[in-house]
Amino acid sequence: MSSFSKQNEEKDVATNGQEPVVSSYDASTLSDEELAKKAQEELNMEDDINEASDVFNSLFSTRRPKDGMAGLSSAAKSIGKGTLAGAVSLIAQPIAGAQQDGVKGFFSGLATGIASAVALPVTGVCVGAYQVARGVGNSGEAIRNSKQGMQWDSEKREWYFYFLDKEMEEIQKLEAELNKGKSSSTSGSHLNEKEVKDREYYDLLGVSTNASQSDIKKAYYKEARKVHPDKCPDDPNAATKFQDLGQAYQTLCNEQLRAAYDKNGKPENQNAESMANDIDPTVFFNVMFGSTLVEPYVGELWIASVADFMMKDMASQQAAMSDADLHEQFAQTLEDRPGTSKEEVKLKQKKRDVMIAIYLRKEIQPFMQGTVSENEMKMHHLVTHHQICQV
């Protein structure tokens, strides 16, 4: 192997697609085995440096502070974490050393612990002072940007102008990407379906014959909203479609009725008793998910989470829960659903907030533009309130 090829190989192995590593040896004087060993040592050193950097960033807050108060808060966190880490090291290091090497290891660990107990708090103070200085320096920018109507992005650590419609576009793009990824993973879910005599109810809900109760419930909620009479006042067939969906769901959500339907299909003649036991589809939907009239004010995600939670056998627990505990349980219920990631729940929650904001903006826009009076605005909302209360 030529010296030129060795140098190239050494560079490729050591950099691994990152910034070139400055080697302290001449690759042309080393054998292939020595070259590979040296390169591996440098890669290990890089890993150690990156790991130390991650530990440092987890201990000390070094992100850009918004203003002086944010810098002071960051400094307090860094000093507190540095002091706590130093105290833990002072206790843990001697114990770990004694377990590994007896008395000698104890004193060696004690020395390391003392050094850490001094170095970590001092480092925290230095980082804290740096963060305070940065925060004070950013205060002027914060005041100017706040006056201009800009908002602070706590994740990107930068100022930006907030536009509601733009955020909705970004949410829709992210949602499309998530749905695209899901479609590829679920494309084969209908290939191995259970054989049934009649699949009309399954087709109405758009689910597989192997669908779980959770899938059937979510499909019913999704499809019923599309043909709900409140949302389709101009469709003369909306009530019939809505009733058919309700009948399909009431059959498939009941294990005994579903088994009979899978085996025998729809009954040719429904007797008066079974017809009397059918729940009115509008009442059934409102009991499950709440009226669609309140959706613009509370959002689809909250309604769906409440329904999913309330339909579980937890009535006794719910009675003893506070409102805060109930909301926390709703969020946990969503996160525990199969195939639902925290990122997806967060995106749905964000979409819910934005859609509510867009609806409220639309509601007050006529008043802000002067096309309706204050009394007309009040009357409009009183009528809406009365409609919701009657559901």
Side-chain angles (χ1 to χ4, degrees):
M1 180 183 295
S2 65
S3 61
F4 177 76
S5 62
K6 282 186 178 182
Q7 289 174 354
N8 282 343
E9 181 181 347
E10 180 272 331
K11 180 179 179 180
D12 292 339
V13 174
T15 59
N16 194 25
Q18 301 176 357
E19 292 297 324
V21 179
V22 179
S23 302
S24 58
Y25 55 86
D26 184 3
S28 62
T29 62
L30 300 177
S31 65
D32 291 346
E33 293 182 1
E34 291 174 331
L35 186 63
K37 184 177 179 180
K38 289 288 186 181
Q40 186 61 46
E41 288 177 356
E42 289 188 348
L43 288 176
N44 293 338
M45 185 180 299
E46 277 191 73
D47 292 339
D48 292 340
I49 293 173
N50 292 333
E51 184 178 354
S53 177
D54 292 339
V55 172
F56 182 87
N57 291 331
S58 64
L59 278 177
F60 306 112
S61 179
T62 57
R63 299 201 302 170
R64 181 190 178 197
K66 174 183 175 182
D67 50 24
M69 289 300 297
L72 187 61
S73 174
S74 176
K77 292 178 182 178
S78 295
I79 295 172
K81 287 183 178 180
T83 303
L84 180 61
V88 170
S89 179
L90 181 60
I91 298 173
Q93 290 287 359
I95 296 175
Q99 290 177 345
Q100 292 180 357
D101 201 15
V103 177
K104 182 180 178 181
F106 172 82
F107 286 104
S108 176
L110 181 62
T112 304
I114 293 173
S116 299
V118 174
L120 289 175
V122 170
T123 304
V125 171
C126 294
V127 172
Y130 173 64
Q131 289 294 92
V132 170
R134 291 177 71 192
V136 172
N138 293 337
S139 294
E141 180 188 13
I143 294 173
R144 290 193 304 271
N145 291 336
S146 296
K147 288 182 178 180
Q148 293 175 3
M150 299 181 72
Q151 294 190 11
W152 175 254
D153 190 327
S154 58
E155 294 183 1
K156 297 180 180 179
R157 315 304 293 179
E158 61 184 16
W159 291 94
Y160 70 103
F161 285 104
Y162 178 79
F163 296 99
L164 190 60
D165 295 325
K166 183 178 179 181
E167 183 173 17
M168 190 62 193
E169 291 177 1
E170 293 177 355
I171 291 174
Q172 289 173 342
K173 289 180 181 179
L174 292 173
E175 198 172 36
E177 292 177 1
L178 280 174
N179 292 335
K180 184 178 180 181
K182 280 189 171 183
S183 62
S184 60
S185 62
T186 60
S187 58
S189 60
H190 298 285
L191 296 179
N192 299 319
E193 290 199 343
K194 178 176 62 175
E195 291 187 5
V196 295
K197 184 173 183 179
D198 180 51
R199 56 174 299 123
E200 179 183 346
Y201 287 166
Y202 292 101
D203 291 338
L204 276 174
L205 296 175
V207 297
S208 164
T209 55
N210 287 322
S212 65
Q213 290 296 320
S214 177
D215 291 335
I216 292 172
K217 179 173 55 182
K218 287 185 286 187
Y220 169 66
Y221 175 68
K222 179 181 177 182
E223 297 299 325
R225 288 178 66 251
K226 295 179 182 178
V227 295
H228 196 289
D230 289 346
K231 289 201 169 189
C232 306
D234 299 327
D235 186 358
N237 298 321
T240 302
K241 295 176 182 176
F242 191 70
Q243 185 173 3
D244 291 341
L245 281 170
Q247 184 178 5
Y249 177 77
Q250 291 181 49
T251 299
L252 298 183
C253 72
N254 184 303
E255 293 293 347
Q256 294 180 349
L257 294 178
R258 182 180 180 180
Y261 172 73
D262 291 345
K263 182 179 180 180
N264 305 316
K266 292 172 60 177
E268 295 182 1
N269 296 314
Q270 289 186 323
N271 55 37
E273 182 179 355
S274 63
M275 292 292 292
N277 290 332
D278 284 343
I279 305 175
D280 179 82
T282 303
V283 174
F284 180 70
F285 184 88
N286 289 342
V287 167
M288 283 185 60
F289 302 109
S291 171
T292 55
L293 295 175
V294 303
E295 182 180 325
Y297 299 97
V298 299
E300 175 185 345
L301 175 63
W302 189 86
I303 293 174
S305 64
V306 170
D308 190 55
F309 179 66
M310 296 295 285
M311 290 184 70
K312 292 184 177 181
D313 187 18
M314 299 180 66
S316 60
Q317 296 183 30
Q318 293 166 23
M321 285 185 177
S322 63
D323 290 343
D325 292 335
L326 282 171
H327 282 281
E328 183 178 352
Q329 185 64 45
F330 295 155
Q332 188 62 45
T333 300
L334 285 173
E335 291 185 8
D336 290 342
R337 284 177 176 175
T340 303
S341 63
K342 290 185 178 181
E343 291 76 13
E344 187 177 357
V345 172
K346 185 178 180 181
L347 180 62
K348 287 183 178 180
Q349 177 64 34
K350 193 174 183 181
K351 180 181 178 181
R352 168 194 167 223
D353 294 341
V354 172
M355 290 187 69
I356 292 174
I358 291 175
Y359 177 80
L360 293 178
R361 181 185 65 180
K362 179 182 176 182
E363 284 290 291
I364 65 173
Q365 195 167 11
F367 175 73
M368 299 300 295
Q369 293 176 344
T371 57
V372 298
S373 65
E374 182 177 353
N375 289 333
E376 290 174 330
M377 191 74 176
K378 289 181 178 178
M379 183 59 64
H380 167 71
H381 287 292
L382 283 174
V383 172
T384 303
H385 180 265
H386 181 69
Q387 290 175 341
I388 294 174
C389 291
Q390 283 189 328
V391 175

